[in-house]
Amino acid sequence: IIWCYKRWTAVSKKFQKLHDIILFYSKSEQYKFNEILVPYDDKERHYTEKDNEGEFRWQYLGGKKYKLYKKEGVKVGDWWEVDYLNSMAKERIGYPTQKPEALLERIIKASSSECDVVADFFCGGGTTLAVAQKLKRRFIGSDISRVAVSVTLDRLIRDAEQMTGQKASTNKSKDYKQGMLPTIERVQVPDIKIYYHGVYPVNKFESVSQDEFDNFILTCFGAGKNTVENGISGFKNQFNPILAGPASKNDELTAEQVKKFVQSVIKNHIQSNQRYTLTILAWRFQPGVKQYVRQLRQGFFKKLQEQGVVLEIELIPIRNHQFRERIASHIAIAEEDKEKLLQFIESPLIIEIVYRQKQNLTYEFEAIAKSINTDGYLINCQWDFNFQESNFSEPKYSLNRARKNNRFEAILKTEKIFEKAGVYKIACKVQDNFGGEAVKVVEIEIK
C-alpha cells in the first residue's frame, strides 16, 4: 500500500520523500478483510436516482458512465492519502516514529472487528494500541524500551478517561493493573496490565505477596511449588528441595528459617543411600546463616554420611550471576545472552525537584536525579504540572531527552507557563537505560 502525504519541502539534492510503503500480508488465505469506503471526490460528476434495486449513483470517470450502489462512498484502493503528522498536531507526543491515528484506524478497521485482538510488538508511542482501544478492540503491545511502555500507558489511560468521562482508579493491585473504568454511555474500557520480562525492578517486589514471590522464583529455577506448608518452598526434583527467602529485597533470610527448612527436609524427605542438594535462594542472608550452614557441614551432615546419606547445601543470592547460570542450564540460550536473562535492577533516584519563578506565571523546573545501577544513566524525563491520580496527562512533556554520543540522555530541565495562580501537584518521572523508573511528586504554590 502506498501511503502518500504532503509536508514542507526540505532543501536537498534529491526528490522530497512524500510517501511510505505499507506491507499487507497474512499467514494464510483465511484472513479477515472489511471493505473500507472513502467519500466521493467533489470534483467527480455524479447524481442520485432510484430503481427497483434501491438508491444508486451515476458516476462519470474518464468519460465513461458507472452505476454505483454504494451511496456512502467509494471503495478505497492501495493508494492512501493520509495527512502526515506535523509537529503541531494535537495527537503528537514527540515519539520519533509516531504515525497518525487516521492511518492506523484504516488498517485496524480493514483487518479486524470489535472485540478482536490487535497486537503491536514494537509499539513505540502506542498509536496502534490507542486506536484499537477507541475502536473497541482488545490489544497487546510490547517494546524493548521502558520509555515507550511508560508513554503508551499514560496515553491509553488519558484516552480512556476522555472516552468514559471518569478518572482511572489509583487502586493498583499486585499485578499492577489499572482499575476498571465505569461504563458511560455504553463505552467501557477494560483493565490495562503491565508485565515485565527479563528486566525486573526490585522495588516492584515490595508489593508482591510471599506466595507470588515463591511462584516466581521457583518458576525461574525450573522448580515446582510445595503444596505442604512445612518450611520447604518447592522442589526441583525429589532430591533437590528449595527454600525461597523473603519477597522484599530489604528483608534478610534468617538462620531460623534455614534451620526450619533443613529440619523439614531431614524429617520428611531423606532416604538412605541417596544424595540431596538443598538450595536456598534469597536477596540477602543474615550473617548467622553462613555460620549455621558451616556448623551443619562440619557436624550433622558428616554423621548422616555414615548412614549413606549425602547432603549438600548451597546459598545462592538472587541477584548473583550464579542464579542466572543455574536458570540458563535448563533452557536453550546463547552464552552472550546469559547476563540479559534475568536482570534485577534498582529504580533511579530523584533526590529533589527544584524550581524558580522566571516571570509572572512562567516557572523553570529541574529534577536532581540519577541512575543507581552500575553503568546506568537516565534516558528520559517526564513531567506533569497538574498531577491527578496516577498517570501523566500532558503529552507535551512526555519525552524530554536528547541524542548524545549515539544514545538518548534525559533532559532534566523544563519550563512551564501556568494559566493561573494556585496550588499544584508537580510530578516528575525518570527512566534509565536498564528500564528502571522512579516518580516524585511535590506540591507547590504558583504565584
Side-chain angles (χ1 to χ4, degrees):
I1 299 166
I2 305 300
W3 167 36
C4 57
Y5 39 77
K6 295 178 181 179
R7 59 181 178 179
W8 294 108
T9 303
V11 178
S12 64
K13 291 184 178 181
K14 60 181 181 180
F15 296 107
Q16 174 73 350
K17 183 180 182 296
L18 295 174
H19 82 277
D20 278 297
I21 296 174
I22 300 171
L23 301 182
F24 173 83
Y25 54 93
S26 70
K27 185 177 180 180
S28 71
E29 290 298 319
Q30 303 301 315
Y31 60 89
K32 183 171 290 186
F33 183 78
N34 301 319
E35 192 175 78
I36 301 295
L37 302 177
V38 293
Y40 290 107
D41 190 337
D42 290 337
K43 296 179 181 178
E44 297 170 350
R45 292 185 295 133
H46 54 258
Y47 57 92
T48 302
E49 294 182 12
K50 289 186 177 181
D51 63 11
N52 294 332
E53 297 180 56
E55 194 174 64
F56 65 90
R57 181 173 285 203
W58 291 108
Q59 189 169 21
Y60 291 87
L61 293 173
K64 293 183 179 182
K65 188 176 181 181
Y66 296 89
K67 194 174 185 180
L68 302 175
Y69 281 93
K70 295 289 186 182
K71 181 183 175 183
E72 298 84 359
V74 62
K75 288 192 293 186
V76 70
D78 60 4
W79 178 272
W80 294 1
E81 292 186 72
V82 179
D83 290 342
Y84 192 78
L85 200 61
N86 64 66
S87 59
M88 301 301 293
K90 186 178 179 180
E91 67 186 73
R92 178 170 282 282
I93 58 175
Y95 212 84
T97 58
Q98 185 180 352
K99 305 296 185 296
E101 290 193 6
L103 179 68
L104 271 300
E105 181 178 331
R106 182 173 293 184
I107 292 172
I108 291 171
K109 280 184 174 180
S111 303
S112 67
S113 302
E114 288 189 11
C115 296
D116 282 350
V117 180
V118 174
D120 187 345
F121 298 106
F122 307 87
C123 67
T127 301
T128 301
L129 309 188
V131 175
Q133 178 172 256
K134 291 175 182 176
L135 296 177
K136 300 181 183 179
R137 272 67 166 172
R138 294 177 292 164
F139 53 84
I140 300 170
S142 67
D143 203 285
I144 198 171
S145 165
R146 177 63 178 270
V147 175
V149 172
S150 179
V151 169
T152 297
L153 178 61
D154 290 336
R155 181 178 185 178
L156 290 169
I157 296 173
R158 187 166 58 246
D159 287 350
E161 291 177 339
Q162 291 174 357
M163 291 167 63
T164 62
Q166 297 290 321
K167 286 291 182 182
S169 170
T170 59
N171 183 24
K172 294 184 179 180
S173 68
K174 292 173 181 178
D175 57 358
Y176 316 114
K177 67 182 180 182
Q178 293 295 135
M180 173 73 78
L181 296 177
T183 300
I184 304 295
E185 295 179 349
R186 300 182 67 185
V187 177
Q188 189 177 59
V189 178
D191 290 344
I192 300 170
K193 297 183 181 181
I194 300 291
Y195 297 90
Y196 300 89
H197 294 281
V199 175
Y200 298 91
V202 293
N203 66 300
K204 294 294 182 184
F205 291 98
E206 297 294 328
S207 57
V208 170
S209 70
Q210 187 62 45
D211 186 62
E212 290 174 306
F213 180 73
D214 289 350
N215 281 327
F216 172 78
I217 291 298
L218 292 168
T219 301
C220 288
F221 214 69
K225 199 172 188 310
N226 184 19
T227 56
V228 181
E229 293 186 9
N230 58 4
I232 303 173
S233 302
F235 295 87
K236 177 102 174 172
N237 54 54
Q238 68 181 90
F239 304 110
N240 188 184
I242 297 172
L243 171 64
S248 172
K249 70 180 179 68
N250 298 317
D251 295 337
E252 295 178 327
L253 180 70
T254 67
E256 190 60 35
Q257 288 172 297
V258 175
K259 183 177 181 180
K260 181 180 179 181
F261 168 63
V262 173
Q263 289 178 343
S264 183
V265 170
I266 293 172
K267 179 181 178 181
N268 300 300
H269 299 283
I270 293 300
Q271 299 177 18
S272 300
N273 302 315
Q274 297 291 347
R275 177 184 292 270
Y276 296 85
T277 300
L278 281 59
T279 302
I280 303 174
L281 310 168
W283 297 111
R284 303 167 62 196
F285 297 92
Q286 236 182 31
V289 170
K290 291 184 178 180
Q291 181 180 354
Y292 173 67
V293 169
R294 188 162 46 247
Q295 291 173 349
L296 286 174
R297 287 170 176 162
Q298 294 174 352
F300 186 66
F301 284 5
K302 284 188 175 181
K303 292 182 179 179
L304 285 176
Q305 286 183 13
E306 297 173 1
Q307 303 173 26
V309 177
V310 177
L311 283 183
E312 296 177 352
I313 191 167
E314 55 182 1
L315 305 178
I316 301 179
I318 293 172
R319 301 179 71 175
N320 191 284
H321 69 91
Q322 187 183 358
F323 181 72
R324 291 193 293 270
E325 286 283 344
R326 293 291 296 276
I327 294 171
S329 66
H330 69 270
I331 61 174
I333 186 168
E335 187 66 33
E336 62 270 19
D337 290 331
K338 285 184 179 180
E339 285 298 313
K340 305 172 188 175
L341 180 64
L342 276 175
Q343 293 186 20
F344 296 98
I345 59 171
E346 296 285 351
S347 297
L349 182 63
I350 303 178
I351 303 167
E352 188 179 3
I353 295 176
V354 297
Y355 60 95
R356 74 178 184 90
Q357 187 176 26
K358 196 172 180 181
Q359 60 178 16
N360 298 328
L361 294 173
T362 302
Y363 279 70
E364 288 182 340
F365 291 86
E366 181 178 4
I368 310 301
K370 64 179 181 178
S371 171
I372 57 178
N373 291 303
T374 304
D375 299 324
Y377 58 91
L378 299 180
I379 60 173
N380 189 45
C381 180
Q382 294 176 245
W383 293 90
D384 193 309
F385 296 100
N386 191 17
F387 190 62
Q388 304 290 328
E389 302 295 337
S390 59
N391 62 297
F392 282 61
S393 59
E394 297 191 69
K396 179 181 177 181
Y397 299 97
S398 291
L399 290 167
N400 290 279
R401 59 184 186 175
R403 187 175 287 278
K404 297 179 182 179
N405 302 320
N406 295 319
R407 72 184 194 185
F408 281 114
E409 295 185 15
I411 298 173
L412 300 176
K413 291 184 179 180
T414 193
E415 185 176 289
K416 172 68 175 180
I417 302 175
F418 292 87
E419 293 182 0
K420 60 182 181 180
V423 176
Y424 292 83
K425 281 186 178 180
I426 311 300
C428 177
K429 182 192 296 184
V430 295
Q431 295 107 1
D432 70 8
N433 58 313
F434 285 96
E437 183 175 271
V439 177
K440 188 175 183 68
V441 182
V442 297
E443 193 171 81
I444 67 171
E445 183 179 3
I446 299 298
K447 301 180 180 180

